[in-house]
């Protein structure tokens, strides 16, 4: 067996093993999961998520997912908690403690302190008879038969199971809150995904030049308008209503067809019924129109009148494409 085949065999074995483990934890869900979700949903406090080692890394990711989907969450490292960070936990906060074994020294020190403070505690653990599980108010079982590591030592399958359980928590809370794409955009204003959800055509077209000519504008002045506004296009308007469009390509075709274009007007050169979009439409809709028709600009309208141009470069610049 060559090295390529050996590598692919190991990769597939790892993926298959983790897939099966994830499928199994869905069968380990009990009423504790639903009750834990209800507790968090109805809570006035935050979710404090703690763990140690690789579980701490998973805890950080779950915190990020919860925060981005409308559930306030804070990460607290289990080791740091017993050296001063326990003050992060406020009266109404709920603590989620993540530990595969549920019996690590840090967990055994931390858990009684949480219990003494009367905070509700949810355990994500692969050992439902562990110290952590016995002390928790709710147990979310993430038991796995073995790690993907051939020595059954490095946290692999177990951390994947923890991560999936965290996603299940976040999605359940998201649905209970009726968390919409608009809410998602509010929490992700700087990312490309967020921009797809909130950025409107007017946000981009309003900063562009607004090239336009009248129906009787001469070909020479059409060329000047397109050149000066540098968008590769101009709208042809009649009483500020869009009558047509002239692109760089239209000008090139005009020059190849006519040796005497000095007497031509915009009406003679333009393409009629150009693709257009309302300024209140989403920028992502503009992108889809451009892709559908294989064009790089759209004329923009406001209340049925010409309002500008949106160019594919605007979408690229904002990371929408």
């Amino acid at each position: 067996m060559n090295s390529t085949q050996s590598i692919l065999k190991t990769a597939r074995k790892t993926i298959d093993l983790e897939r099966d483990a994830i499928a199994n934890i869905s069968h380990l869900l009990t009423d504790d999961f639903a009750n834990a979700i209800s507790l968090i949903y109805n809570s006035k406090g935050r979710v404090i998520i703690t763990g140690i080692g690789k579980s701490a890394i998973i805890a950080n990711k779950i915190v990020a997912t919860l925060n981005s989907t409308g559930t306030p969450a804070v990460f607290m490292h289990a080791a740091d908690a017993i050296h001063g960070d326990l003050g992060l936990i406020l009266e109404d906060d709920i603590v989620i403690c993540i530990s595969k074994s549920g019996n690590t020294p840090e967990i055994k020190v931390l858990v009684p302190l949480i219990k003494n403070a009367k905070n509700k505690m949810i355990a994500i653990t692969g050992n439902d008879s562990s110290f952590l599980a016995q002390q928790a108010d709710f147990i979310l079982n993430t038991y796995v038969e073995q790690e993907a590591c051939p020595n059954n030592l490095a946290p692999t399958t177990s951390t994947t199971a923890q991560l999936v359980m965290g996603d299940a928590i976040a999605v359940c809370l998201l649905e209970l809150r009726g968390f919409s794409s608009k809410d998602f955009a509010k929490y992700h204003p700087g990312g490309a995904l967020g921009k797809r959800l909130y950025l409107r055509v007017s946000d981009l077209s309003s900063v562009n030049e607004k090239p336009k000519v009248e129906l009787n504008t001469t070909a020479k002045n059409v060329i000047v308008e397109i050149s000066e506004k540098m968008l590769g296009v101009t709208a042809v308007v009649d009483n500020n209503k869009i009558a047509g469009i002239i692109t760089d390509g239209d000008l090139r075709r005009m020059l190849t067809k006519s040796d005497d274009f000095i007497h031509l007007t915009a009406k003679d050169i333009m393409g009629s019924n150009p693709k257009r979009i309302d300024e209140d439409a989403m920028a992502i809709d503009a992108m889809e129109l451009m892709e559908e028709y294989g064009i790089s600009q759209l004329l923009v309208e406001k209340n049925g009148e010409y309002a500008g141009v949106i160019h594919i470069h605007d979408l690229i610049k904002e990371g929408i494409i």
Side-chain angles (χ1 to χ4, degrees):
M1 183 179 292
N2 63 39
S3 59
T4 299
Q5 291 174 327
S6 177
I7 290 168
L8 291 176
K9 181 180 179 181
T10 300
R12 291 185 178 115
K13 181 180 178 181
T14 301
I15 293 167
D16 290 346
L17 196 154
E18 297 202 359
R19 176 201 62 203
D20 293 343
I22 292 169
N24 183 62
I25 64 171
S26 69
H27 301 299
L28 300 179
L29 292 176
T30 66
D31 288 350
D32 268 21
F33 181 87
N35 292 334
I37 296 298
S38 296
L39 177 71
I40 296 171
Y41 176 68
N42 292 307
S43 171
K44 296 178 181 178
R46 306 161 301 169
V47 178
I48 309 296
I49 308 183
T50 187
I52 195 164
K54 303 300 187 295
S55 294
I57 296 172
I58 298 300
N60 257 312
K61 193 277 177 184
I62 297 173
V63 163
T65 302
L66 289 175
N67 279 325
S68 69
T69 52
T71 299
V74 177
F75 170 70
M76 179 183 70
H77 197 283
D80 292 337
I82 59 179
H83 292 286
D85 282 4
L86 202 60
L88 282 171
I89 306 175
L90 304 179
E91 182 179 356
D92 293 323
D93 291 343
I94 296 164
V95 179
I96 296 178
C97 192
I98 306 176
S99 173
K100 177 188 176 183
S101 72
N103 288 316
T104 61
E106 293 85 0
I107 294 298
K108 287 185 174 181
V109 173
L110 176 61
V111 166
L113 298 174
I114 296 171
K115 296 292 289 183
N116 288 340
K118 308 299 182 184
N119 292 90
K120 293 291 184 179
M121 185 168 58
I122 300 165
I124 297 180
T125 181
N127 183 357
D128 61 4
S129 61
S130 64
F131 177 82
L132 172 61
Q134 290 172 356
Q135 298 297 315
D137 295 288
F138 303 103
I139 303 169
L140 310 186
N141 194 344
T142 53
Y143 170 77
V144 298
E145 286 192 14
Q146 67 179 96
E147 302 287 3
C149 165
N151 298 313
N152 197 30
L153 294 174
T156 46
T157 313
S158 60
T159 48
T160 299
Q162 293 168 353
L163 187 61
V164 169
M165 187 64 76
D167 286 343
I169 293 170
V171 172
C172 287
L173 290 167
L174 179 154
E175 291 196 353
L176 282 173
R177 297 186 196 286
F179 196 83
S180 67
S181 59
K182 289 183 178 179
D183 295 317
F184 191 87
K186 182 174 70 174
Y187 287 101
H188 299 76
L193 182 56
K195 288 181 180 180
R196 284 170 172 253
L197 296 170
Y198 78 81
L199 206 61
R200 296 190 180 275
V201 168
S202 60
D203 296 323
L204 303 178
S205 64
S206 63
V207 299
N208 288 338
E209 295 283 357
K210 294 178 174 56
K212 68 176 181 178
V213 295
E214 301 290 334
L215 287 166
N216 60 356
T217 300
T218 64
K220 177 182 177 181
N221 287 333
V222 168
I223 294 171
V224 170
E225 180 72 358
I226 292 178
S227 298
E228 286 183 348
K229 300 301 170 59
M230 297 189 299
L231 287 170
V233 66
T234 184
V236 182
V237 300
D238 184 14
N239 293 321
N240 210 39
K241 302 281 187 180
I242 295 173
I245 188 172
I246 301 174
T247 67
D248 282 338
D250 293 324
L251 293 179
R252 287 192 295 271
R253 284 186 286 273
M254 174 197 71
L255 293 172
T256 59
K257 290 179 180 178
S258 175
D259 293 328
D260 183 17
F261 62 85
I262 193 168
H263 300 298
L264 297 178
T265 65
K267 185 177 180 180
D268 301 318
I269 307 167
M270 73 181 191
S272 57
N273 298 317
K275 297 296 179 283
R276 62 195 77 186
I277 192 166
D278 191 86
E279 70 168 10
D280 288 330
M282 306 306 294
I284 186 68
D285 296 330
M287 183 198 77
E288 290 173 355
L289 268 177
M290 290 183 198
E291 289 181 340
E292 181 179 354
Y293 292 101
I295 56 180
S296 56
Q297 309 103 336
L298 287 172
L299 299 185
V300 180
E301 289 182 314
K302 178 181 180 181
N303 299 324
E305 295 191 348
Y306 174 64
V309 175
I310 183 169
H311 196 286
I312 194 168
H313 291 159
D314 301 324
L315 301 173
I316 294 171
K317 183 179 178 181
E318 292 296 333
I320 292 176
I321 296 179

